[in-house]
């Protein structure tokens, strides 16, 4: 029972990653592996800034900013240099590993001795766990409203059209190189922000904390879509956030049931593989049903 | 209006798959010209159109619209002047977006997108009026996703979108070829209506000789990357399929392999 609030909180902090992955994977139709580098990039940036004495909000803005740069690099690799998007993301991810080490100066920074966004603004009498929930909620509401508004603008519509049909949007005068770069920039800013929040709630930033984040993001997106629908963009955003919370709950439950933590990534990968293969299973099932009738 | 001067295009030059698609093609269109373009499979029709639209750069020559040299312009910049409808009905619209959202994008063709709201309610009345002219009942479905429409509906919508902002040049690449005969006739009728009523300078590729003769004020035939036949005005009006075949034989020195062209 006492796991419910931390589970929801973690789901909220990670849902920014999920929204970021949604923007590339669903809106732009690109599987962007940059996130594996930009998530720890956000964590590294926030850790470096906090230990240098910055206050948490500017430190998180800096984290989102470095995430943007990561997205721009991948964007330039895949538009201007015509490197396939998947490979472009891998290149940036690998490059960021070194850069993250440079930013942190070592592989791991503890944040237990510095003020984080969760401790500095703590309301007296409120536990750290509740603070994480509140700040998580604020971040998610702010981000999702901003995303919703942005994707309703002319630029946002152009980005959505780019993912859906690049021929169409080019024929209407939009430079798809720019829209792709913008989408990647926005996505990775959110992912880095997620990394910054998660690092502060964990109490440390680690250079290895990006491993598997793309799969976690995909799991959240797919779980959300299946359980909560995809009727409209608003619906999708809410689904993705809820998907991230459900994913955390699933993880909490299987851990409670005795699954060794080392198997978590294997478990998540299998979950995502099954979910991605779902349309195929569904088609086979329908065929069999049709054959029976 | 449109001046094409000696353009050429070779695909995969210097490889075993090298293919000369356009050889030194020149073409001048007067304002309001409605030109139908015919030619066998692989004659270079789409290559000509894609060269004008900027899908790829040409190897040599110049493309000039309204005294402006656009040869070096990227595809998206040329969209300022050019409206397009593709052969594939899926290519001209964004399936996951609403009719309204698609039209809003088309309504600012050639302008750099801003942070203003994309599909303001104030535009709905205008969109509805425009859709009404298609007579397909789409004016009642402004909020439907385009992916729910049939191929013919999508092609008609694309045509409307391509002309929502008046293009200096309208390019239609076999835009009825993927439709069933009845729908194709319907979309062609809408095309004729829009193009003639608004005097749009238009290049329309068709594989149907009858349509090519019935529509427009000028007809060109491409063969092996060259313009073989170019007839206009009164001469075009009285032209028959038989005349056309005879002209082809005389010009090409061979019989027209008419498999790819619908003669009836
Ligand atoms: N992108 C491309 N790459 C290689 N060859 C091409 C390409 N596009 C067209 N071609 C070739 O150029 C020739 C002309 O093609 P196209 O203009 O599409 O003919 P059509 O008159 O049927 O529209 C064909 O032989 C075609 O195979
Ligand atoms: Mg063609």
């Amino acid at each position: 029972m006492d796991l419910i609030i931390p589970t929801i909180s973690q789901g909220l902090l990670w849902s920014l990653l999920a929204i970021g992955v949604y923007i590339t994977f669903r809106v732009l139709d690109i599987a962007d592996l940059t996130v594996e580098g930009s998530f720890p990039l956000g964590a590294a940036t926030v850790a470096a800034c906090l230990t240098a004495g910055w206050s948490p909000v500017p430190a998180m803005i800096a984290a989102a900013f470095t995430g943007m740069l990561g997205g721009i690099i991948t964007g330039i690799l895949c538009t201007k240099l015509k490197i396939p998007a998947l490979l472009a993301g891998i290149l940036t991810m690998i490059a960021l590993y070194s850069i993250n080490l440079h930013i942190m100066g070592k592989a791991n920074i503890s944040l237990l001795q510095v003020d984080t966004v969760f401790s500095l603004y703590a309301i007296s009498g409120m536990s750290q766990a509740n603070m994480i929930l509140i700040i998580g909620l604020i971040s998610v509401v702010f981000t999702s409203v901003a995303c919703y508004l942005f994707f309703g603008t002319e630029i946002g519509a152009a980005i959505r059209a780019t993912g859906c049909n690049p021929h169409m949007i080019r024929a209407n005068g939009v430079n798809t190189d720019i829209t792709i770069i913008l989408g990647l920039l926005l996505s990775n800013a959110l992912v880095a922000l997620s990394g910054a929040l998660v690092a502060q709630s964990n109490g440390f930033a680690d250079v290895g904390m990006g491993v598997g984040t793309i799969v976690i993001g995909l799991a959240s997106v797919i779980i959300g879509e299946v359980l909560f629908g995809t009727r409209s963009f608003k619906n999708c955003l809410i689904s993705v956030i809820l998907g991230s919370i459900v994913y955390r709950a699933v993880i909490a439950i299987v851990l409670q049931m005795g699954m060794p933590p080392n198997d978590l990534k294997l478990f998540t990968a299998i979950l995502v593989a099954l979910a991605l293969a779902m349309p195929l299973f569904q088609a086979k099932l329908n065929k069999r049903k049709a054959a029976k009738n | 209006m449109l001046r094409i001067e000696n353009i050429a295009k070779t695909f995969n030059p210097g490889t075993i798959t090298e293919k000369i698609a356009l050889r030194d093609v020149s073409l001048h269109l007067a304002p309001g010209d409605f030109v139908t373009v015919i030619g066998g499979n692989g004659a270079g029709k789409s290559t000509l159109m894609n060269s004008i639209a900027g899908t790829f750069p040409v190897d040599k020559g110049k493309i000039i619209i309204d005294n402006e040299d656009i040869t070096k312009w990227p595809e998206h910049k040329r969209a300022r002047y050019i409206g397009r409808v593709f052969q594939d009905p899926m290519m001209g619209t964004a399936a996951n977006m609403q009719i309204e959202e698609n039209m809003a994008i088309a309504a600012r063709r050639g302008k750099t997108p801003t942070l203003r709201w994309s599909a303001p309610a104030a535009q709905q009345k205008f969109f509805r009026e425009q859709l009404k002219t298609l007579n397909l009942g789409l004016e009642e479905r402004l909020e439907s996703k385009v992916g729910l429409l049939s191929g013919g509906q999508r092609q008609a919508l694309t045509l409307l979108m391509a002309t929502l902002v008046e293009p200096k040049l309208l390019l239609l690449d076999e835009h009825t070829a993927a439709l069933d005969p009845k729908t194709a006739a319907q979309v062609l009728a809408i095309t004729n209506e829009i193009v003639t009523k608004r005097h749009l300078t238009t290049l329309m590729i068709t594989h149907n000789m009858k349509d090519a003769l019935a529509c427009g004020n000028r007809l060109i035939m491409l063969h092996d990357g060259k313009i073989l036949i170019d007839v206009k005005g009164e001469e075009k009006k009285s032209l028959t399929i038989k005349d056309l075949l005879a002209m082809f034989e005389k010009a090409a020195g061979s019989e027209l392999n008419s498999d790819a062209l619908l003669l009836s």
Side-chain angles (χ1 to χ4, degrees):
Chain A
M1 215 50 204
D2 50 340
L3 272 177
I4 289 181
I5 286 189
T7 301
I8 294 176
S9 305
Q10 285 304 307
L12 288 172
L13 301 186
W14 283 86
S15 71
L16 298 190
L17 165 93
I19 295 174
V21 169
Y22 174 81
I23 289 172
T24 47
F25 188 62
R26 287 298 191 219
V27 178
L28 274 185
D29 199 20
I30 288 175
D32 175 32
L33 287 178
T34 315
V35 299
E36 301 251 327
S38 52
F39 187 83
L41 174 62
T45 308
V46 94
C49 290
L50 289 177
T51 47
W54 291 37
S55 66
V57 170
M60 288 197 300
I61 292 173
F65 187 74
T66 53
M68 276 185 194
L69 294 181
I72 291 175
I73 304 277
T74 303
I76 289 173
L77 290 180
C78 72
T79 57
K80 303 296 178 200
L81 304 187
K82 309 269 180 246
I83 297 171
L86 197 63
L87 191 52
I90 291 175
L91 292 174
T92 312
M93 164 188 113
I94 294 296
L96 284 177
Y97 187 86
S98 297
I99 290 176
N100 292 340
L101 277 170
H102 275 294
I103 292 174
M104 297 204 288
K106 52 188 171 182
N108 187 298
I109 293 183
S110 166
L111 296 175
L112 296 175
Q113 309 306 321
V114 296
D115 267 334
T116 68
V117 70
F118 305 113
S119 62
L120 189 67
Y121 306 112
I123 304 159
S124 59
M126 190 169 282
S127 68
Q128 168 103 357
N130 285 340
M131 266 323 286
I132 296 180
L133 180 68
I134 288 173
I135 300 235
L137 260 178
I138 294 172
S139 325
V140 168
V141 169
F142 175 78
T143 315
S144 48
V145 169
C147 270
Y148 175 72
L149 292 176
F150 175 72
F151 280 103
T153 66
E154 294 176 1
I155 295 176
I159 294 175
R160 282 188 292 144
T162 302
C164 183
N165 184 349
H167 301 285
M168 175 268 188
I169 195 69
R170 272 199 296 274
N172 282 291
V174 173
N175 184 348
T176 48
D177 286 359
I178 304 282
T179 47
I180 290 171
I181 293 173
L182 275 178
L184 287 167
L185 168 161
L186 181 62
S187 162
N188 283 289
L190 294 181
V191 172
L193 199 54
S194 182
L197 286 166
V198 169
Q200 292 177 84
S201 89
N202 287 353
F204 67 89
D206 189 279
V207 73
M209 69 193 280
V211 178
T213 42
I214 181 71
V215 184
I216 294 172
L218 287 175
S220 310
V221 169
I222 297 167
I223 292 173
E225 287 177 343
V226 170
L227 294 183
F228 307 105
T230 56
R231 261 174 299 109
S232 60
F233 188 67
K234 198 192 294 176
N235 182 195
C236 285
L237 276 177
I238 295 171
S239 295
V240 167
I241 295 163
L242 295 178
S244 170
I245 296 173
V246 171
Y247 171 76
R248 287 294 144 193
V250 171
I251 296 299
I253 290 167
V254 294
L255 286 178
Q256 283 272 299
M257 282 163 46
M259 193 178 77
N262 282 348
D263 291 343
L264 257 187
K265 291 210 161 45
L266 176 63
F267 172 79
T268 308
I270 293 172
L271 192 74
V272 170
L274 286 177
L276 284 175
M278 199 81 120
L280 192 73
F281 293 141
Q282 208 110 48
K284 283 232 166 93
L285 216 69
N286 287 346
K287 228 187 214 166
R288 200 167 296 169
K289 257 190 212 152
K292 258 185 199 159
N293 291 340
Chain B
M1 178 55 66
L2 171 69
R3 279 210 336 259
I4 298 174
E5 312 275 9
N6 310 95
I7 62 167
K9 179 72 191 177
T10 302
F11 289 107
N12 311 319
T15 68
I16 43 164
T17 55
E18 178 174 291
K19 174 74 206 174
I20 302 175
L22 288 179
R23 308 166 190 266
D24 218 30
V25 170
S26 296
L27 179 69
H28 293 202
L29 301 195
D33 261 354
F34 181 3
V35 183
T36 54
V37 183
I38 56 173
N41 254 338
K45 305 181 298 292
S46 297
T47 307
L48 174 63
M49 214 162 259
N50 292 336
S51 302
I52 300 170
T55 312
F56 41 69
V58 289
D59 302 336
K60 69 186 244 331
K62 270 198 169 75
I63 301 164
I64 295 156
I65 290 185
D66 239 6
N67 296 322
E68 197 157 7
D69 187 342
I70 62 162
T71 318
K72 298 223 156 60
W73 287 19
E75 185 179 12
H76 63 88
K77 194 172 167 194
R78 298 188 197 193
R80 211 179 282 175
Y81 296 153
I82 298 175
R84 280 159 88 188
V85 184
F86 307 89
Q87 175 170 356
D88 180 354
M90 305 301 138
M91 258 175 66
T93 44
N96 297 344
M97 298 171 78
Q98 299 165 345
I99 292 182
E100 181 184 359
E101 292 178 308
N102 273 273
M103 290 185 77
I105 287 172
R108 49 173 187 273
R109 177 167 50 77
K111 293 204 190 103
T112 307
T114 68
L115 283 175
R116 274 193 288 269
W117 198 244
S118 170
Q123 277 185 321
Q124 285 190 350
K125 191 165 156 273
F126 171 62
F127 290 167
R128 244 184 228 116
E129 281 166 7
Q130 293 292 315
L131 286 167
K132 225 176 202 153
T133 63
L134 297 179
N135 260 325
L136 296 171
L138 295 181
E139 62 274 14
E140 306 300 327
R141 302 176 62 185
L142 230 46
E143 274 160 31
S144 299
K145 297 251 169 90
V146 169
L148 299 172
L149 307 184
S150 69
Q153 288 172 326
R154 281 181 80 160
Q155 216 54 334
L157 176 62
T158 309
L159 189 62
L160 187 67
M161 284 166 53
T163 54
L164 209 53
V165 174
E166 185 145 317
K168 285 182 192 276
L169 178 67
L170 180 63
L171 299 178
L172 311 170
D173 186 353
E174 297 202 43
H175 68 305
T176 63
L179 308 175
D180 66 78
K182 192 166 153 262
T183 318
Q186 211 174 353
V187 171
L188 191 66
I190 296 171
T191 308
N192 256 319
E193 160 110 13
I194 292 179
V195 171
T196 49
K197 214 183 230 166
R198 293 168 58 185
H199 307 289
L200 299 177
T201 312
T202 303
L203 271 174
M204 178 174 90
I205 301 178
T206 171
H207 63 285
N208 186 321
M209 281 223 204
K210 216 170 93 187
D211 292 346
L213 290 172
C215 300
N217 65 330
R218 185 170 168 189
L219 178 149
I220 61 177
M221 182 189 258
L222 267 98
H223 178 66
D224 193 24
K226 283 183 301 237
I227 296 180
L228 205 59
I229 297 174
D230 184 349
V231 285
K232 45 188 127 174
E234 289 306 314
E235 191 190 356
K236 155 130 194 323
K237 269 188 200 153
S238 56
L239 204 66
T240 65
I241 291 177
K242 228 171 110 197
D243 298 337
L244 211 50
L245 293 178
M247 283 170 88
F248 178 85
E249 264 168 56
K250 193 158 155 254
S254 68
E255 234 176 82
L256 178 62
N257 174 3
S258 53
D259 291 353
L261 287 172
L262 289 179
L263 298 176
S264 53

